[in-house]
Amino acid sequence: MKACLLRTPAKIESNPLQCVEVADPIPSAGQVLVRVRVCGVCRTDLHVIEGELPQKLSPVIPGHQVVGTVEELGRGAMRFSKGARVGIAWLHQTDGTCEYCRRGEENLCDAPLFTGYSVNGGYAEWIVAPAEFVYPIPEGLADEHAAPLLCAGIIGYRCLRMAQLERGAKLGFYGFGAAAHVAIQVARYWGVDVYASTRDSRHQVLAKELGAKWAGGTTDAPPEELDAAIIFAPAGEIVPAALRALRKGGRLILGGIHMSDIPSFGYDLLYGERMIRSVANNTRQDGEEFLKIAAEIPIHTRVQLYPLAETNRALNALKNDAIAGAAVVQVQAKN
Ligand SMILES: [Zn+2]
Ligand SMILES: [Zn+2]
């Protein structure tokens, strides 16, 4: 099969993914073999490719927002029938036995596997995954519009839940890429007002189009005190600015898997019972709940399509803030 392979982490500007022929994967017991139709591009791919996350598998096929069809069932994989349209996300598998898994916090599992990082991902024609960690994709969502929901969407949803929002709440977003452009639609659906802070003026325009009450630069003070804020951008220097915008008792949620160092700041920014919480991965329940809500709203994603051979170009565009919405790699031509 054709696949985009990363051998050694390097800056994306050097186009480190090589589009080559590799052996087709074979489903083991409990796994399904999925023919990839599309795979969404996520900032975490950049962290994997550029080595900000320690290398787990080499070579590795990145990509963890896969939409495709089940084509073969491994022994005992009963959950889907052949031809089912499914999604494969970042959380590839957990051990199911550690104290976090037993506590229902499988997103914090001590021995997890991650798609496109510790096992091969979706920038390829075929992929295998445990059936129990695969999501049915609701009807009515086109492949390329469903793909960005699988990481950007699910993680954004978990961030929104952690922010504990009530109707009428004032919520800040820092960074307005793939995750935020989905999360704002859920927030609006819940009757929450969104204030978007982002360095790129095109992203400010997109935020306004999607119903943000206000959009401004990253460190501009929003016109109202915020009940909660979510930082999607991987920049630690935003933390003090976001704390400054929060009311007493407000919550600051950090949505990224990687962030540059947070500069020191005075205790007064945190005092007043403000809280900071990171979000790490997601549980399958988050994914199932979110996909249900996404179909109910329904969420519209803005996508920019790239062919598999141009995955490097898609990732360069993401790094340069040149994507309005989400980038999606189209692996299989549309019928
Ligand atoms: Zn575990
Ligand atoms: Zn992701």
Side-chain angles (χ1 to χ4, degrees):
M1 67 169 180
K2 282 197 193 71
C4 287
L5 220 54
L6 175 74
R7 294 180 198 281
T8 313
K11 289 287 171 201
I12 195 64
E13 290 82 358
S14 69
N15 299 321
L17 292 182
Q18 298 171 318
C19 202
V20 292
E21 288 285 333
V22 299
D24 290 358
I26 297 166
S28 334
Q31 289 186 330
V32 288
L33 174 69
V34 170
R35 184 164 183 207
V36 179
R37 289 184 178 175
V38 296
C39 182
V41 177
C42 176
R43 189 168 289 279
T44 300
D45 300 330
L46 275 178
H47 298 319
V48 169
I49 291 165
E50 298 198 320
E52 281 153 341
L53 298 177
Q55 202 171 17
K56 298 269 187 198
L57 176 69
S58 175
V60 64
I61 302 168
H64 58 270
Q65 302 187 92
V66 177
V67 176
T69 46
V70 172
E71 300 290 340
E72 219 179 291
L73 309 172
R75 192 164 38 81
M78 311 295 279
R79 191 162 165 234
F80 296 96
S81 44
K82 283 190 191 179
R85 193 168 68 123
V86 295
I88 299 170
W90 172 246
L91 188 68
H92 185 86
Q93 191 166 17
T94 57
D95 60 7
T97 54
C98 75
E99 61 174 306
Y100 296 99
C101 284
R102 280 186 279 129
R103 218 188 272 156
E105 296 173 342
E106 65 181 1
N107 61 308
L108 302 177
C109 178
D110 280 333
L113 292 176
F114 296 117
T115 311
Y117 180 40
S118 40
V119 296
N120 282 329
Y123 297 140
E125 292 177 302
W126 296 90
I127 183 173
V128 290
E132 292 303 318
F133 284 80
V134 168
Y135 300 93
I137 299 290
E139 278 178 44
L141 284 168
D143 299 336
E144 65 272 27
H145 293 288
L149 302 181
L150 288 165
C151 184
I154 297 174
I155 297 296
Y157 175 71
R158 189 173 171 86
C159 291
L160 288 170
R161 280 212 303 111
M162 298 300 158
Q164 296 184 351
L165 302 158
E166 284 169 14
R167 184 164 280 277
K170 298 179 188 72
L171 172 67
F173 281 174
Y174 289 83
F176 205 86
H181 104 288
V182 174
I184 191 173
Q185 298 178 54
V186 180
R188 298 294 301 127
Y189 184 65
W190 288 346
V192 167
D193 289 334
V194 172
Y195 298 79
S197 301
T198 178
R199 64 182 174 186
D200 190 279
S201 58
R202 287 163 301 181
H203 293 180
Q204 293 172 13
V205 171
L206 177 62
K208 292 290 279 280
E209 278 174 27
L210 291 171
K213 258 206 144 165
W214 171 88
T218 312
T219 53
D220 295 351
E224 306 267 4
E225 275 199 318
L226 304 174
D227 297 301
I230 302 172
I231 300 183
F232 292 109
E237 65 267 22
I238 297 174
V239 170
L243 281 172
R244 202 166 285 125
L246 282 187
R247 68 161 169 82
K248 286 182 279 190
R251 293 169 171 266
L252 177 58
I253 311 298
L254 312 182
I257 190 170
H258 169 83
M259 189 179 243
S260 57
D261 286 354
I262 300 171
S264 70
F265 53 83
Y267 181 53
D268 57 317
L269 286 186
L270 188 61
Y271 186 68
E273 303 196 341
R274 293 173 182 87
M275 282 162 273
I276 304 180
R277 179 171 187 172
S278 67
V279 158
N281 315 313
N282 64 277
T283 64
R284 281 172 281 178
Q285 195 190 334
D286 293 327
E288 280 152 22
E289 270 177 34
F290 168 68
L291 287 172
K292 203 166 145 251
I293 291 178
E296 189 179 298
I297 294 177
I299 285 181
H300 295 285
T301 52
R302 306 249 181 138
V303 298
Q304 229 162 294
L305 294 175
Y306 292 83
L308 180 62
E310 293 183 22
T311 306
N312 281 309
R313 198 162 66 83
L315 285 152
N316 273 290
L318 173 63
K319 188 172 180 179
N320 294 321
D321 287 338
I323 310 277
V328 173
V329 169
Q330 179 129 37
V331 178
Q332 211 186 108
K334 273 192 177 178
N335 298 327

